[in-house]
Amino acid sequence: LPYLFNRYVRIYHGKGYYSEDFVVNHIKKSKKIIRIICVRNSRISSPDVLRSFREFITKHNGKVELFYIDPSKKMSDDIIDKIRVTLPTPPSNATNCRQEIMSNERRMIDEIKKWDNSKRDNIALFRFRCLPSIHLCQFDNKIFLGFQFINHNESTFLSSRTLNDLCIVINTKSQLGKLITKQIDYLRDTQSDKK
């Protein structure tokens, strides 16, 4: 793994990984596929991001796959709490976190229902039923891999950073990129429910 990491990975030096501007600008540059694995789906449910998804699908007939944590009781409160505390401005408890995810999901579904059928077929929402170890955005052949779990109690370079500050960039055609895309497929096919 260290060999693969050193050979195929670079640090993203742009500002604001996973900020709304970051997501919208990379959607605009994409031509074929967008896949995002997040936690509570707040960014991907914003009006500007949803509008960008629709424009991407309309212009390129591209595919969009969006993954977020399952807010149903299939996920235990313990797992929700482990994830909740890593979030910026975390919800106060597991119940509030579930409600936030469901509210964001409803906003996405309501917006997608307004699209014509040909556009709706190109976007898929997946609720995953496992503890997410990664946060990522795939825009065509680039994967931006964010750091979801960082120990903020340690005085290290990473502990002073947040998810929005730091990510690495991996090409999907590299060995490491191929492994990650296989993991995304596995998450979609075996650990998720399509909404």
Side-chain angles (χ1 to χ4, degrees):
L1 190 59
Y3 167 76
L4 290 175
F5 190 87
N6 292 332
R7 184 162 180 198
Y8 297 110
V9 169
R10 67 181 173 86
I11 300 291
Y12 172 67
H13 292 290
K15 286 196 169 185
Y17 164 70
Y18 205 57
S19 67
E20 191 159 316
D21 284 344
F22 171 92
V23 175
V24 168
N25 288 333
H26 281 85
I27 292 170
K28 287 178 180 175
K29 295 175 190 173
S30 299
K31 304 273 191 286
K32 295 179 182 177
I33 188 163
I34 296 167
R35 302 201 288 187
I36 296 176
I37 299 176
C38 58
V39 176
R40 60 180 162 178
N41 61 14
S42 53
R43 181 79 63 238
I44 57 177
S45 66
S46 80
D48 286 345
V49 171
L50 288 169
R51 188 177 311 111
S52 298
F53 286 142
R54 189 183 67 225
E55 290 167 3
F56 163 73
I57 291 167
T58 302
K59 186 174 181 181
H60 301 290
N61 196 33
K63 303 287 184 198
V64 178
E65 293 181 347
L66 305 173
F67 299 82
Y68 49 91
I69 195 166
D70 188 341
S72 74
K73 287 298 183 181
K74 292 177 186 174
M75 293 291 284
S76 74
D77 281 353
D78 287 343
I79 292 179
I80 295 279
D81 275 330
K82 278 187 174 65
I83 299 163
R84 178 183 62 78
V85 297
T86 69
L87 299 171
T89 60
S92 57
N93 55 47
T95 300
N96 288 345
C97 192
R98 290 178 197 279
Q99 289 170 345
E100 190 176 325
I101 294 166
M102 287 188 281
S103 173
N104 293 336
E105 179 184 73
R106 175 55 39 207
R107 190 177 322 123
M108 287 191 289
I109 290 170
D110 288 346
E111 175 59 30
I112 292 166
K113 281 181 179 176
K114 297 175 188 174
W115 303 358
D116 64 52
N117 287 337
S118 63
K119 292 183 186 72
R120 277 188 240 162
D121 292 341
N122 286 38
I123 189 166
L125 310 179
F126 297 97
R127 291 174 163 190
F128 56 81
R129 304 179 304 272
C130 55
L131 185 65
S133 57
I134 58 174
H135 185 293
L136 69 77
C137 300
Q138 178 186 345
F139 302 104
D140 291 338
N141 65 343
K142 281 186 184 174
I143 294 170
F144 295 83
L145 182 65
F147 293 92
Q148 183 64 33
F149 298 112
I150 296 173
N151 184 351
H152 294 280
N153 297 323
E154 293 180 8
S155 58
T156 64
F157 170 74
L158 286 180
S159 69
S160 64
R161 303 302 183 102
T162 69
L163 177 63
N164 290 342
D165 293 329
L166 186 65
C167 77
I168 55 177
V169 185
I170 303 155
N171 191 297
T172 58
K173 294 178 181 169
S174 70
Q175 286 178 274
L176 184 56
K178 287 175 184 175
L179 289 172
I180 291 171
T181 54
K182 279 185 185 176
Q183 287 300 305
I184 300 171
D185 292 340
Y186 176 78
L187 180 67
R188 181 193 60 227
D189 296 339
T190 69
Q191 301 296 312
S192 301
D193 295 317
K194 191 172 181 182
K195 192 65 187 143

